[in-house]
Amino acid sequence: MTTTIAEIRSDTASVEDRIATLLGEMTLAEKVGQMNQAHAGDMDPVEVLSDALRAGRIGSIINQVDVATVNELQRIAVEESRLGIPLLVGRDVIHGFKTVMPIPLGQAATWNPEVVRQGARIAALEAAKSGINWTFAPMIDITRDPRWGRIAESPGEDPYLASRLAVAMVEGFQGDDLAATGTIAACAKHFAGYGEAESGRDYATTNIPENELRNVHLRPFRAAVNAGVATLMASFSDLNGVPATGNEFLMRQVLRDEWGFDGFVVSDWNSIHQLAVHGLTADDRDSVLAASTAGVDMDMAGGVYEGHLADLVEDGALDIEVIDAAVANILRTKFRLGLFDNPYTDPEALPANGSPEALATAKAAALQSVVMLKNDKGVLPLSKQDLDRVAVIGPLADAPYEQLGTWIFDGDTELSVTALQGIRELVGGDVEIEYVRAMETSRSKSTQPFDEAVAAAAKSDAALLFLGEESILSGEAHSRADINLPGAQAELVRRVRETGKPVIAVIMAGRPLTLANIVEKVDAILFAWHPGTMGGSAIAELLFGLESPSGKLPATFPRMVGQIPIYHSQKNTGKPPTPEKVVHIDDIDAKAPQTSLGMTAFHLDAGYAPLFPFGFGLSYADFDYDNIRVSGSEVPVGGVVTVSAELTNRGDVAADEVAQLYVRDLVGNVTRPVRELKGFRRVRVEPGETLTVSFDLHTDDLAFYGRDNTLMVEPGEFHAWIGGSSDAPLRTEFSVVAGD
Ligand code: BGC
């Protein structure tokens, strides 16, 4: 009997039965085909891929975005191959497709899962219109290293924030029903530990003790799996001596046995072949054996599964059951996507790209992502009534491509509203605007055009400096060892400062930067990340006070690069520093004439505090937290404690605030962080209004992996803080006590 696509489509049997039927029909070559993701490079895909598609040797294609071509490739797979199994069509749709949302780190700065979910939904709709049914997002690598270029596409340093956003993105891409029009399969990546790359050098080695891996790095992946993420991607990196792509502990023990994941795992681009480059295996054949045994179901663009899997099975080196399980995982995903019933894309069934809704979402995300780091004497917001003239200066003021950030293969620069455009549109009728680019790129070293910038500033009532990094300075393989503003930007700031005019820096960048060398030389700083398509409109509205900044840092900003890794949830150490204990290198003779230099954990030249802490962000409102309390001083294991505080807006404008809850477990089976984020809420507060912000904490929320790497909730004392950053001073206590 030969099963045809028609039979599989009309089959009323369960998905598992249909998978079993198909597996029973498939030859070994066809099974291997499902595990092979192909790409056509720069060549004509129909010409290059047709024969292999007809032979059932390709299960997925990557990087085809022309819908007619995708439909044709799909047609060949479905109608001209023996079993008619449809294709997964993969693409990196990371923070938008044609309409670009802020970079993921910027989205994390919104602390708003709802806007992040909406952004992913818009991205899915636009990508699906091109025939894409699988995105390689969300990227949920925790990182504490802003040198790492991929921090731009990450949710930052905190596993709780990352977990909330991971769920939001999975929900946004996949919707309630993966088979619906306009939803696409998500891929949680990079499993796991990639964000710990030594010295922030991309692809570098990671060494993460299992306890730290479980308590920090695996948490967002667990959340994504619980939210139903369809696929995971194995990381490029070496984890504790076993590169993730060959890491059985990650993909078999944790992912399958402990978490019960039943979707599939794809390698990273050619990462199976790279197992030999790492030195884990001798050659491709060996690498294929290692990766498939460890649990990589599909080979992304490497061609090595295609080259070696069948031989390995035929030689008895690899059990066919490994292959069958992998193919079942892939077919299951195709069934869930509804591809057997509806393999083709009708672009007309989906909204136009860059729709009003898409642009509104991109603008809302950008508005909420911008973090105000400084606002001396209330220089912001600007008022058009008080200004005759402003100077708009800098390489990123009018850069429709750069503001989109990394991973924008498909981003439409025509849709971009730059800051210069946004400002002109908003106040151009009332305020004279002089624009001086001053630097060719953010990296330029020439100071020659600075005279013109200085002259423009001198003639104006305020200078708006658009500084930062162009998009190429962050993202994959774009790490930096020096994370100051590049090129001659610090000098530009110094020169403009000399005019004595108010200087407002708007910084667009793909990472936290070290700003210590400019922070005192400007009156205000808006940190806008790479804000995406609508970044310019959002920035203009924030500058002129139509809305208040409300973003909060998703990653700590160090003073100097030597402080890295620096993050809010560090451990206490046995010698925790305090302000009184810190001695600065310049004060050694005066303060510590003998040998004692404080004897605590700090740097002589940087102290121990960051420049701006995690969770920090200023507002045009004036928020005040008070009266923190708990619903009961004791909570039994299995119970819930509510931690509340009053939040008052003492300012005179309405604004959003992100109220944050942090907890410390004072004594642990393994030492616990000095503070851990356990809840947050974005709330709108009117002038003069007082709101109660409450967080329900189940004792499960306090669980952690102990010495034996199992999850535990320990009775004991806890501190809890509520406030507007990880430095929040307002504290209360409660105890967890043994349950009945
Ligand atoms: C990246 C992945 C990406 C893949 C496909 C790799 O180099 O690490 O994140 O999804 O390429 O473009």
Side-chain angles (χ1 to χ4, degrees):
M1 183 197 87
T2 301
T3 306
T4 64
I5 180 67
E7 284 167 286
I8 292 290
R9 272 186 194 153
S10 59
D11 203 329
T12 51
S14 72
V15 164
E16 293 309 313
D17 288 347
R18 292 160 88 182
I19 291 171
T21 309
L22 265 178
L23 273 175
E25 288 296 322
M26 292 169 87
T27 63
L28 178 57
E30 285 165 337
K31 291 177 182 174
V32 169
Q34 286 305 303
M35 298 169 72
N36 177 36
Q37 182 182 59
H39 72 108
D42 294 334
M43 289 173 295
D44 175 357
V46 176
E47 211 166 284
V48 180
L49 303 175
S50 296
D51 288 349
L53 285 171
R54 276 188 202 101
R57 293 203 332 260
I58 297 177
S60 169
I61 54 169
I62 181 168
N63 293 344
Q64 290 305 322
V65 291
D66 172 64
V67 69
T69 307
V70 171
N71 276 335
E72 174 58 9
L73 296 170
Q74 199 65 280
R75 190 195 63 75
I76 297 170
V78 168
E79 291 177 20
E80 298 186 12
S81 76
R82 193 176 74 89
L83 294 171
I85 301 175
L87 289 169
L88 284 163
V89 182
R91 180 72 161 173
D92 292 285
V93 183
I94 309 295
H95 54 112
F97 190 66
K98 297 290 178 193
T99 308
V100 179
M101 306 294 148
I103 54 169
L105 191 62
Q107 291 185 48
T110 69
W111 295 56
N112 185 347
E114 183 49 29
V115 85
V116 170
R117 194 181 67 78
Q118 283 293 346
R121 192 179 70 83
I122 300 290
L125 287 169
E126 292 191 349
K129 197 176 172 71
S130 284
I132 292 156
N133 53 35
W134 180 24
T135 178
F136 305 117
M139 189 278 218
I140 48 179
D141 297 320
I142 299 297
T143 184
R144 278 90 191 253
D145 198 331
R147 293 172 297 186
W148 191 45
R150 300 198 83 165
I151 194 172
E153 33 167 334
S154 89
E157 74 180 39
D158 185 81
Y160 177 79
L161 179 59
S163 300
R164 294 277 305 269
L165 301 180
V167 171
M169 285 210 191
V170 170
E171 288 174 356
F173 287 126
Q174 299 194 166
D176 296 334
D177 176 11
L178 256 187
T181 303
T183 57
I184 61 179
C187 180
K189 71 186 188 185
H190 306 83
F191 197 58
Y194 187 24
E196 283 284 291
E198 281 179 352
S199 75
R201 204 158 43 88
D202 205 6
Y203 315 124
T205 301
T206 73
N207 277 301
I208 312 173
E210 182 180 338
N211 190 259
E212 178 81 355
L213 193 65
R214 288 183 182 274
N215 278 319
V216 178
H217 299 271
L218 295 182
R219 275 172 56 194
F221 287 94
R222 178 72 194 259
V225 167
N226 288 350
V229 72
T231 69
L232 266 78
M233 185 186 295
S235 164
F236 281 130
S237 43
D238 180 337
L239 175 67
N240 302 332
V242 183
T245 301
N247 198 307
E248 216 162 328
F249 164 75
L250 284 176
M251 291 181 287
R252 296 260 180 235
Q253 182 179 324
V254 174
L255 183 62
R256 301 285 177 188
D257 299 348
E258 295 179 23
W259 299 355
F261 178 66
D262 69 354
F264 75 89
V265 179
V266 65
S267 75
D268 204 339
W269 189 283
N270 208 19
S271 69
I272 301 173
H273 160 76
Q274 288 164 18
L275 289 177
V277 185
H278 277 286
L280 185 78
T281 54
D283 53 26
D284 280 347
R285 184 185 151 95
D286 217 4
S287 301
V288 168
L289 180 61
S292 56
T293 309
V296 174
D297 302 309
M298 184 182 283
D299 173 7
M300 176 187 280
V304 291
Y305 269 9
E306 192 187 17
H308 299 280
L309 271 178
D311 277 359
L312 284 163
V313 173
E314 275 153 11
D315 294 353
L318 180 65
D319 200 325
I320 185 70
E321 281 169 15
V322 172
I323 304 273
D324 285 350
V327 175
N329 293 336
I330 293 164
L331 293 176
R332 192 174 298 119
T333 307
K334 293 184 175 185
F335 277 112
R336 285 179 179 158
L337 274 163
L339 290 176
F340 283 90
D341 302 310
N342 190 9
Y344 301 114
T345 299
D346 173 10
E348 301 307 317
L350 287 152
N353 292 325
S355 69
E357 192 201 356
L359 298 179
T361 304
K363 184 167 160 192
L367 268 174
Q368 296 179 20
S369 72
V370 175
V371 183
M372 186 159 69
L373 295 176
K374 177 173 181 180
N375 190 18
D376 258 12
K377 303 191 196 82
V379 61
L380 289 178
L382 301 171
S383 147
K384 63 181 181 187
Q385 285 76 26
D386 301 344
L387 297 172
D388 292 326
R389 198 181 167 89
V390 294
V392 170
I393 298 168
L396 293 166
D398 195 29
Y401 174 81
E402 307 305 343
Q403 74 185 45
L404 300 182
T406 187
W407 279 127
I408 47 139
F409 287 149
D410 306 288
D412 184 353
T413 49
E414 298 280 304
L415 294 172
S416 287
V417 179
T418 68
L420 181 63
Q421 284 170 319
I423 294 167
R424 281 194 172 132
E425 269 162 37
L426 193 65
V427 299
D430 305 288
V431 180
E432 231 177 294
I433 294 157
E434 183 172 358
Y435 166 55
V436 183
R437 188 179 171 104
M439 296 174 73
E440 177 86 13
T441 72
S442 67
R443 293 161 287 134
S444 303
K445 294 198 170 131
S446 166
T447 56
Q448 197 237 327
F450 290 3
D451 287 347
E452 193 192 346
V454 169
K459 277 189 288 178
S460 301
D461 301 310
L464 304 179
L465 293 186
F466 287 84
L467 307 171
E469 298 176 314
E470 333 136 61
S471 60
I472 200 173
L473 295 185
S474 60
E476 184 175 353
H478 294 94
S479 295
R480 297 178 62 202
D482 170 353
I483 54 169
N484 282 330
L485 286 168
Q489 293 185 54
E491 175 64 6
L492 177 62
V493 173
R494 197 188 65 73
R495 293 281 313 277
V496 173
R497 178 68 173 176
E498 281 175 357
T499 63
K501 297 299 168 91
V503 180
I504 292 129
V506 179
I507 300 178
M508 296 185 198
R511 57 164 61 78
L513 297 172
T514 41
L515 299 172
N517 60 343
I518 65 134
V519 73
E520 298 305 332
K521 301 195 179 85
V522 298
D523 298 288
I525 302 177
L526 290 182
F527 205 89
W529 319 100
H530 288 131
T533 300
M534 295 300 286
S537 305
I539 288 167
E541 293 190 9
L542 293 169
L543 285 170
F544 285 90
L546 276 70
E547 182 54 61
S548 171
S550 59
K552 299 278 188 173
L553 296 180
T556 302
F557 274 45
R559 283 171 202 282
M560 326 184 177
V561 85
Q563 291 181 293
I564 297 168
I566 181 167
Y567 51 97
H568 78 95
S569 55
Q570 286 182 335
K571 301 284 185 73
N572 203 36
T573 79
K575 290 174 180 276
T578 54
E580 319 75 64
K581 294 273 185 171
V582 170
V583 178
H584 191 269
I585 193 164
D586 295 339
D587 302 332
I588 288 180
D589 295 334
K591 280 211 181 161
Q594 301 305 317
T595 49
S596 167
L597 289 172
M599 300 297 280
T600 60
F602 66 91
H603 288 113
L604 280 171
D605 41 11
Y608 63 93
L611 187 58
F612 299 110
F614 175 80
F616 174 79
L618 300 170
S619 168
Y620 296 151
D622 178 8
F623 293 118
D624 183 32
Y625 289 86
D626 198 10
N627 190 24
I628 190 167
R629 59 208 183 265
V630 284
S631 53
S633 57
E634 291 193 346
V635 53
V637 172
V640 173
V641 58
T642 305
V643 190
S644 316
E646 253 73 74
L647 165 61
T648 302
N649 180 353
R650 300 203 187 284
D652 49 18
V653 294
D656 278 11
E657 164 70 337
V658 179
Q660 302 158 40
L661 170 72
Y662 294 88
V663 164
R664 177 169 181 188
D665 180 350
L666 298 193
V667 180
N669 172 274
V670 292
T671 54
R672 309 300 305 130
V674 288
R675 285 192 188 196
E676 280 186 285
L677 181 69
K678 290 291 180 189
F680 60 85
R681 186 156 304 139
R682 177 177 269 272
V683 287
R684 186 82 179 167
V685 200
E686 298 298 320
E689 188 185 9
T690 298
L691 295 178
T692 301
V693 283
S694 290
F695 299 93
D696 289 339
L697 265 181
H698 190 281
T699 55
D700 284 354
D701 300 328
L702 303 168
F704 61 93
Y705 288 87
R707 264 175 242 190
D708 65 357
N709 289 317
T710 60
L711 204 55
M712 63 195 300
V713 180
E714 273 187 313
E717 306 271 300
F718 289 79
H719 287 172
W721 295 260
I722 292 179
S725 85
S726 59
D727 268 357
L730 198 65
R731 193 187 93 189
T732 185
E733 291 93 33
F734 62 90
S735 307
V736 172
V737 295
D740 300 330

